Amino acid sequence: MKNTKLSTLTILSLIINLNLGLIIIAILWGIAKEEPSMKFEEYGFITPFSALQLLSIAIINLLTFKKQKQAIWVMISIGFTFLALDEILLIHENIDKWIHAFFQITPTHLTDRIDDFIILFYGIVGGLLMIKNRRVFLNNKPGLALAITGFILMFLSVLTDAATNDSFLLPPSIISENRQYHIGVIIEESLKIVSEGTLAASFISYYRN
């Protein structure tokens, strides 16, 4: 019987093409409404799609636990479930506001990036968890390569958000501040969902192997 099992690369390609397709639709929709980044903002359709991807990763890891009976998969599943809730409920953004209010901090260029540091903290915790349980992950090189790529893309997303949060990289005489804002949001959110898609492909690979 012919083996019809999809390769890891094919699965990655399908997921990334879905991501890129939605990114293009979101950009074109925004341009049509003269607000290029509108569908990438908190209440555009990119946010629920991101939450759905994160929840899918949580489910994949739960299924992997059922096959392998290793606690690390449950821990990862719980982590991604929390990230999906964070995406919808804006948990890290509200923590940022709570810290400012509780400590009566006047927002500055640095403190305005607390929410970015929180996301970075999430990533560091996840990375350390995988390093601690590295024996589970080292046996699957394609899955490991995708996981590392996903973390790098996530870091670039956070870096883009931090770099464009309340400042602009180019003089307004070259590109207007409004246009730079839209470009920054689109790049940040695009990197985020592509990183999620890459991680989804990684964990699918671990589930299958």
Side-chain angles (χ1 to χ4, degrees):
M1 183 180 292
K2 185 177 179 180
N3 186 3
T4 58
K5 189 176 181 181
L6 296 176
S7 69
T8 299
L9 186 60
T10 301
I11 292 172
L12 174 65
S13 178
L14 290 171
I15 294 173
I16 297 304
N17 283 333
L18 173 61
N19 278 257
L20 294 178
L22 285 175
I23 289 168
I24 291 170
I25 291 171
I27 292 173
L28 294 176
W29 192 323
I31 290 173
K33 298 291 185 179
E34 298 184 350
E35 288 287 338
S37 67
M38 64 180 294
K39 292 302 174 181
F40 294 86
E41 303 283 355
E42 275 78 4
Y43 299 103
F45 63 71
I46 292 297
T47 294
F49 173 73
S50 173
L52 182 61
Q53 284 201 131
L54 292 166
L55 187 58
S56 298
I57 295 172
I59 293 171
I60 292 165
N61 280 279
L62 198 58
L63 293 173
T64 305
F65 168 73
K66 290 181 69 176
K67 289 177 66 176
Q68 300 187 14
K69 307 302 181 185
Q70 292 171 304
I72 179 62
W73 302 115
V74 174
M75 297 169 71
I76 294 174
S77 180
I78 292 171
F80 277 98
T81 300
F82 172 78
L83 290 176
L85 290 173
D86 185 304
E87 192 73 358
I88 295 297
L89 302 178
L90 309 178
I91 294 173
H92 69 278
E93 288 93 343
N94 288 324
I95 290 174
D96 183 335
K97 295 175 182 177
W98 178 84
I99 290 173
H100 279 91
F102 184 81
F103 293 102
Q104 298 183 341
I105 299 173
T106 301
T108 66
H109 289 293
L110 182 61
T111 64
D112 221 24
R113 291 171 169 79
I114 290 175
D115 57 335
D116 299 321
F117 295 137
I118 293 171
I119 291 294
L120 189 59
F121 174 74
Y122 292 166
I124 291 171
V125 170
L128 290 175
L129 193 61
M130 292 183 71
I131 291 171
K132 185 177 180 180
N133 295 270
R134 57 189 175 276
R135 290 184 180 179
V136 177
F137 302 99
L138 290 175
N139 292 329
N140 184 341
K141 288 183 171 58
L144 181 61
L146 289 175
I148 293 171
T149 302
F151 275 105
I152 291 172
L153 291 171
M154 182 274 294
F155 174 76
L156 291 175
S157 171
V158 174
L159 188 63
T160 301
D161 189 22
T164 60
N165 194 359
D166 59 356
S167 58
F168 301 96
L169 303 178
L170 296 173
S173 57
I174 298 177
I175 300 179
S176 70
E177 293 182 354
N178 183 59
R179 187 167 295 179
Q180 288 190 60
Y181 166 78
H182 289 299
I183 291 172
V185 172
I186 290 171
I187 292 175
E188 175 217 337
E189 293 296 313
S190 296
L191 285 170
K192 181 177 72 176
I193 65 169
V194 171
S195 76
E196 295 164 0
T198 305
L199 288 171
S202 170
F203 289 118
I204 288 172
S205 178
Y206 281 106
Y207 167 74
R208 297 169 67 195
N209 290 284

